Amino acid sequence: MEKLLVSCDELVGLIGAPSVRIVDTRWPVGDGPAGHNLYRRSRVPGAVYLGFDATQAPGPQPPGRAAHPATLAAALADLGVGTDTTLVAYDDNHQFTAARLVWLMRAHGFERSFRLDGGWPAWLRSGGPVETGPISRRPCVTHPPLLSQTGSAIAGLNDLLAHQAGGLPIADCRRDSSWAEQPQLIPGATRLPMRMLVDSSGLYHPPSRIRSVAAAAGIDVDTPVVAYCGAAISAPAVWLALRSAGVTGVRVYDGSITEWITGGRPLTPAAACRPEHSRMAQPRTATPAGREEDR
């Protein structure tokens, strides 16, 4: 199985290592740029900041469409990420921007990229050190990270259409709050939200349980699957969970549902889901402690 996650205990041991860059990617729902202010107030010691906007292509592309790898590489180089750097990203475990960054890095061949399991909330619960006050500027590097053009983990519209034609699995990974606003699927899709793959504290379930949940959605370890959400943020977190559990054929549709509906393409009402997956298609109610509807 592929190692894509770093635990809080592991991250403690990486702080200060010259070959490691810890990247804060917090980008709150509804006010993404406020993530930089959160970072300025408190962060993992030595962390640098990269917002969601640096990982997406400029308009008029649909929101979430992946940035050109050269553009992403330049942004990371400015933060001190080079060819030999190990990158560990964290988010707020609500807007899965760290998983998105790791997905893009891995898709373009940069294997030394990882997400902090449970994100910033898990870090605080673990008692990990927190840095406040002035931020030390990280020097840029001479050689940016090498990001290839292949993007093997990225699916386009034609890939999704091919999955439909072949009856292959398509996973709707939108948060339950988004699903409640638009309880319709791309035809052929099954609901597989992130909350089904994490425990009550927001940490990923063990691989065996993730594989079991995936199997209930028609996804086996060697099954090609395309995952989508609203803007390719939640789907990469599901991609990461499945890959970590040994499901190797998963790709993320970076145009996601935004691109799908732009051309007037149809959506399927929830009632048309396959009966065995009807439970997955039901919105969940928010709970004060866990915000389960958004995982």
Side-chain angles (χ1 to χ4, degrees), residues 4 8 19 33 39 43 46 48 85 92 106-107 110 113 115 139 142 151 158 165 183 208 213 237 239 288:
L4 292 158
C8 291
S19 62
Y39 161 75
R43 55 203 168 268
V48 295
T85 302
D92 61 8
R106 296 277 181 144
F110 195 94
S113 51
R115 178 180 183 255
T142 304
N158 288 338
S208 59
V213 172
W239 171 89

Side-chain angles (χ1 to χ4, degrees), residues 160 163-165 167-172 185-191 217 226 228 260 266-268 272-274 277:
L160 181 61
H163 265 62
Q164 282 184 321
L168 294 170
I170 302 168
D172 183 306
L185 301 164
I186 290 176
T190 297
R191 284 281 288 156
V226 170
Y228 73 88
W260 178 261
L267 294 174
T268 301
C273 294
R274 287 177 290 173
H277 300 312

Side-chain angles (χ1 to χ4, degrees), residues 1-196:
M1 288 180 289
E2 193 172 2
K3 181 175 175 57
L4 292 158
L5 294 168
V6 166
S7 69
C8 291
D9 287 344
E10 289 176 310
L11 184 56
V12 168
L14 296 175
I15 292 174
S19 62
V20 175
R21 283 292 178 269
I22 302 169
V23 183
D24 186 319
T25 70
R26 284 176 286 174
W27 191 263
V29 175
D31 190 9
H36 193 261
N37 292 331
L38 296 174
Y39 161 75
R40 291 176 65 86
R41 284 202 295 269
S42 59
R43 55 203 168 268
V44 174
V48 295
Y49 184 79
L50 186 76
F52 165 72
D53 52 350
T55 69
Q56 67 172 340
Q61 298 287 350
R65 177 64 62 81
H68 190 280
T71 302
L72 180 58
L76 289 165
D78 192 50
L79 298 176
V81 177
T83 55
D84 298 321
T85 302
T86 294
L87 181 151
V88 180
Y90 67 90
D91 50 41
D92 61 8
N93 214 39
H94 178 65
Q95 188 86 318
F96 300 105
T97 43
R100 174 183 168 86
L101 178 57
V102 172
W103 160 63
L104 289 174
M105 298 292 282
R106 296 277 181 144
H108 294 300
F110 195 94
E111 300 296 324
R112 294 181 307 283
S113 51
F114 306 88
R115 178 180 183 255
L116 176 64
D117 193 9
W120 180 246
W123 183 255
L124 295 179
R125 288 196 307 269
S126 74
V130 173
E131 179 181 75
T132 59
I135 299 168
S136 299
R137 173 66 177 167
R138 292 283 180 177
C140 60
V141 294
T142 304
H143 301 291
L146 297 175
L147 303 184
S148 70
Q149 299 291 323
T150 55
S152 59
I154 301 173
L157 176 60
N158 288 338
D159 298 308
L160 181 61
L161 293 172
H163 265 62
Q164 282 184 321
L168 294 170
I170 302 168
D172 183 306
C173 307
R174 287 173 291 164
R175 298 190 311 268
D176 283 358
S177 56
S178 300
W179 168 253
E181 294 174 0
Q182 189 180 39
Q184 296 175 303
L185 301 164
I186 290 176
T190 297
R191 284 281 288 156
L192 186 61
M194 178 64 172
R195 63 165 171 79
M196 300 189 70

